[in-house]
């Protein structure tokens, strides 16, 4: 099962004092069950129509589809997600929902994925790596309504600063066995690239895969906000722009001083424009 990309904690040492040799890179499976009453780590329940660009990327398991990752509508025919979410399998996208159990909600649309374009430099192995970004072409065009809308991408070189909002159906605590039914959101501070790199170097040493040019980080404001399994591929939005695609975190999710790492959308703007044949263009600020 390919889902949220994370670093596995091999000992129970506290993050702030752990030796970086205790950490290894690995994939972590997303649970297939959905539960009510759960919240993102440090997050809140989203209102209906609050994040109309958020979609659920679902994979076919035998006879049923289950949520594996998030994604963002960037045009009526394209969704942006993470490459580690889509290395193999049959996928569909569900748009216009706030609950995983939503059925026949006004504007709700379920579309097959007709083409997957993973970044050519993504290694498609179990190793945590940059270039973790993917385009999903939909089998037909989305119909824009209040709860189904695109999010613009930034121009090449855009630098995100200040606060950003993370959304997703990922685990709400590291030990959870189910994902929340209700879409979650949290406001997080953007961590400057060099600062994030230094934090991760302290935790991971020379096995730190963070790339200042290709990744962006969010930090922790109140001691626990974080992406977790099932949030992968989902959006980080800053000033109305899709600035990040959830890629990896440190386990346990929301640990002390541990940032969430995203693919930096502005590093891939030209690639997105080219591979969507110009259908997706960066926002004009």
């Amino acid at each position: 099962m390919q889902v949220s990309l994370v670093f596995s904690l091999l000992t129970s040492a506290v993050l702030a004092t752990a030796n970086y040799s205790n950490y290894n890179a690995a994939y972590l499976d997303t649970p297939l069950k959905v539960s009510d009453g759960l919240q993102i780590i440090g997050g809140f329940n989203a209102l209906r129509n609050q994040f109309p660009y958020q979609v659920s990327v679902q994979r076919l398991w035998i006879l049923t589809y289950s949520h594996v990752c998030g994604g963002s509508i960037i045009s009526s025919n394209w969704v942006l997600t993470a490459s580690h979410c889509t290395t193999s399998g049959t996928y569909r996208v569900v748009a216009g929902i706030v609950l995983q159990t939503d059925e026949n909600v006004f504007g709700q649309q379920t579309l097959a994925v007709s083409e997957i374009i993973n970044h050519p430099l993504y290694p498609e192995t179990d190793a945590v790596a940059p270039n973790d970004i993917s385009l999903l072409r939909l089998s037909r065009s989305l119909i824009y309504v209040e709860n189904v809308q695109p999010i613009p991408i930034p121009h090449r070189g855009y630098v995100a600063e200040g606060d950003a909002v993370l959304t997703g159906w990922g685990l709400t605590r590291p030990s959870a066995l189910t994902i929340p039914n209700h879409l979650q959101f949290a406001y997080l501070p953007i961590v400057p690239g060099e600062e994030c790199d230094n934090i991760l170097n302290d935790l991971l040493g020379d096995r730190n895969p963070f790339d200042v040019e290709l990744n962006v980080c969010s930090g922790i404001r109140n001691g626990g906000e974080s992406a977790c399994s099932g949030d992968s591929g989902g959006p980080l939005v800053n000033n109305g722009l899709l600035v990040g695609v959830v890629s990896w975190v440190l386990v346990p999710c929301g640990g002390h001083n541990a940032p969430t790492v995203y693919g930096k959308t502005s590093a891939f703007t030209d690639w997105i424009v080219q591979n969507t044949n110009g259908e997706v263009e960066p926002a004009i600020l």
Side-chain angles (χ1 to χ4, degrees):
M1 187 187 305
Q2 46 228 10
V3 284
S4 197
L5 187 58
V6 300
F7 279 99
S8 290
L9 181 60
L10 300 183
T11 72
S12 59
V14 177
L15 282 171
T17 59
N19 185 304
Y20 59 69
S21 64
N22 290 327
Y23 297 90
N24 283 332
Y27 285 101
L28 186 70
D29 290 351
T30 293
L32 300 182
K33 295 182 179 179
V34 175
S35 291
D36 290 311
L38 299 178
Q39 295 183 325
I40 199 172
I41 296 177
F44 304 93
N45 287 341
L47 300 176
R48 201 166 284 282
N49 310 330
Q50 187 176 4
F51 303 105
Y53 50 82
Q54 171 84 50
V55 301
S56 172
V57 177
Q58 301 182 354
R59 184 180 177 184
L60 180 63
W61 302 99
I62 307 177
L63 297 176
T64 61
Y65 282 89
S66 296
H67 174 86
V68 289
C69 285
S72 303
I73 300 168
I74 55 173
S75 82
S76 61
N77 295 302
W78 295 95
V79 163
L80 194 66
T81 187
S83 284
H84 76 263
C85 294
T86 56
T87 53
S88 65
T90 300
Y91 296 87
R92 72 179 188 183
V93 163
V94 183
I97 62 172
V98 71
L99 304 178
Q100 283 287 317
T101 54
D102 274 339
E103 292 184 8
N104 302 317
V105 172
F106 174 79
Q108 180 175 344
Q109 298 165 58
T110 301
L111 291 78
V113 173
S114 62
E115 182 182 9
I116 297 170
I117 306 176
N118 287 342
H119 195 280
L121 296 181
Y122 181 73
E124 298 194 6
T125 67
D126 287 346
V128 178
N131 299 297
D132 185 17
I133 198 160
S134 177
L135 285 164
L136 307 182
R137 186 198 294 269
L138 305 178
S139 59
R140 55 186 170 83
S141 297
L142 288 163
I143 299 171
Y144 291 154
V145 288
E146 184 179 9
N147 53 339
V148 178
Q149 290 289 320
I151 182 78
I153 64 171
H155 61 78
R156 181 177 60 182
Y158 177 85
V159 178
E161 297 178 320
D163 281 356
V165 61
L166 165 69
T167 53
W169 284 279
L171 291 183
T172 59
R173 58 185 184 274
S175 60
L177 298 177
T178 56
I179 61 172
N181 186 35
H182 203 123
L183 180 66
Q184 301 292 298
F185 74 96
Y187 290 102
L188 306 171
I190 298 291
V191 179
E194 294 293 342
E195 180 181 341
C196 185
D197 194 33
N198 289 336
I199 292 171
L200 292 168
N201 280 333
D202 288 343
L203 293 169
L204 301 168
D206 59 8
R207 295 176 296 110
N208 174 18
F210 182 80
D211 188 310
V212 173
E213 299 301 321
L214 300 178
N215 293 123
V216 64
C217 280
S218 67
I220 291 174
R221 171 171 287 105
N222 297 315
E225 306 93 337
S226 174
C228 206
S229 298
D231 287 321
S232 279
L236 182 73
V237 173
N238 169 253
N239 293 328
L241 299 173
L242 177 61
V243 298
V245 175
V246 178
S247 185
W248 55 272
V249 297
L250 297 179
V251 171
C253 309
H256 176 68
N257 202 34
T260 298
V261 180
Y262 311 77
K264 183 190 293 185
T265 314
S266 62
F268 302 100
T269 297
D270 293 346
W271 179 81
I272 293 169
V273 172
Q274 178 182 0
N275 282 277
T276 60
N277 298 313
E279 182 177 336
V280 179
E281 294 280 355
I284 299 174
L285 301 178

